[in-house]
Amino acid sequence: MFRLILFGTISALFFSSTFVLNRAMSLEGGHWLWTASLRFGYMFAMLTLYLLFTKGAKYLLEIIRVFCRFWLFWCIAGGIGFGVFYSLLCFSASYAPGWIIATTWQITILATPIVLISMGKQVPLKGILLTGLIFAGIVLVNMEYAGTASARDVIFGVIPVLVAAFAYPTGNQMVWEASQSGYKLIPRIDHPLMQDSFARVLLLTIGSIPFWLILFL
């Protein structure tokens, strides 16, 4: 348990730092699209090299086969879970301070059970009530920010983060459903690769490429 908490805390530290870095790059004139897309460009390169050296070329080819067989699913899941999620976080950095984005992003804790319920999962009521306290804190912070910022900065700095908070768990849950039994329009992907977290992230990264190309256009 301690190890899980430690890894979770370190992960949160690195991810939270991106809010500050995104804001800093925006203030220096960097376009949010480069900030967002390059993250997944680097991720694609690092994951590909990692799996190539640890699993071999055949393993990578099998990942490509799984992607090609279910390309529409991976493009939708990757476009939502990675593309919509991170592009909106980077976009909002052009209008709101990093601490506002980081605080508002915590609403994903409430968004996750809502996504689960929408896909027919059972969520304990007690857990939802506890996340309500977090939501109340987020509302108070944004009310204070709205009192000092322009309406334009509030709309473009906060609302995109709210959408991103739902996009991330939606993409992840789509992949989980596909690895289990499928759900409505989500196909059942019965393949050993679905048990490898690195392979799943690479598949989502590849699937997000069309989203980034559309944004570039």
Side-chain angles (χ1 to χ4, degrees), residues 132-203:
L133 295 175
I134 299 174
F135 177 72
I138 295 170
V139 171
L140 291 174
V141 169
N142 280 280
M143 286 179 62
E144 180 183 357
Y145 177 63
T148 58
S150 66
R152 174 174 173 269
D153 287 348
V154 173
I155 292 173
F156 292 132
V158 175
I159 293 180
V161 182
L162 298 179
V163 178
F166 280 86
Y168 184 70
T170 298
N172 283 336
Q173 186 62 24
M174 288 176 66
V175 175
W176 190 89
E177 294 290 344
S179 68
Q180 299 303 310
S181 58
Y183 178 76
K184 294 184 177 180
L185 298 178
I186 299 176
R188 170 78 166 99
I189 305 179
D190 187 12
H191 196 285
L193 283 176
M194 297 299 289
Q195 307 306 316
D196 184 349
S197 58
F198 289 102
R200 294 197 304 269
V201 173
L202 180 56
L203 284 163

Side-chain angles (χ1 to χ4, degrees), residues 13-31:
L13 172 64
F14 280 112
F15 185 68
S16 297
S17 66
T18 63
F19 296 120
V20 178
L21 294 175
N22 289 344
R23 179 63 173 174
M25 286 185 280
S26 173
L27 294 176
E28 289 295 324
H31 197 283

Side-chain angles (χ1 to χ4, degrees), residues 74-98:
W74 290 112
C75 286
I76 294 175
I80 295 174
F82 281 3
V84 174
F85 147 63
Y86 203 65
S87 63
L88 289 180
L89 284 184
C90 293
F91 173 83
S92 62
S94 300
Y95 299 93

Side-chain angles (χ1 to χ4, degrees), residues 39-51 59-60 63-64 66-67 73-75 77-83 85 168 171-176 179 189 192-210 212:
R39 173 191 178 98
F40 291 98
Y42 292 141
M43 185 183 295
F44 172 78
M46 290 188 292
L47 284 173
T48 300
L49 289 175
Y50 173 78
L51 291 174
Y59 196 81
L60 280 177
I63 291 177
I64 298 300
V66 171
F67 176 81
F73 166 77
W74 290 112
C75 286
I80 295 174
F82 281 3
F85 147 63
Y168 184 70
N172 283 336
Q173 186 62 24
M174 288 176 66
V175 175
W176 190 89
S179 68
I189 305 179
L193 283 176
M194 297 299 289
Q195 307 306 316
D196 184 349
S197 58
F198 289 102
R200 294 197 304 269
V201 173
L202 180 56
L203 284 163
L204 283 170
T205 303
I206 298 173
S208 70
I209 291 177
W212 301 118

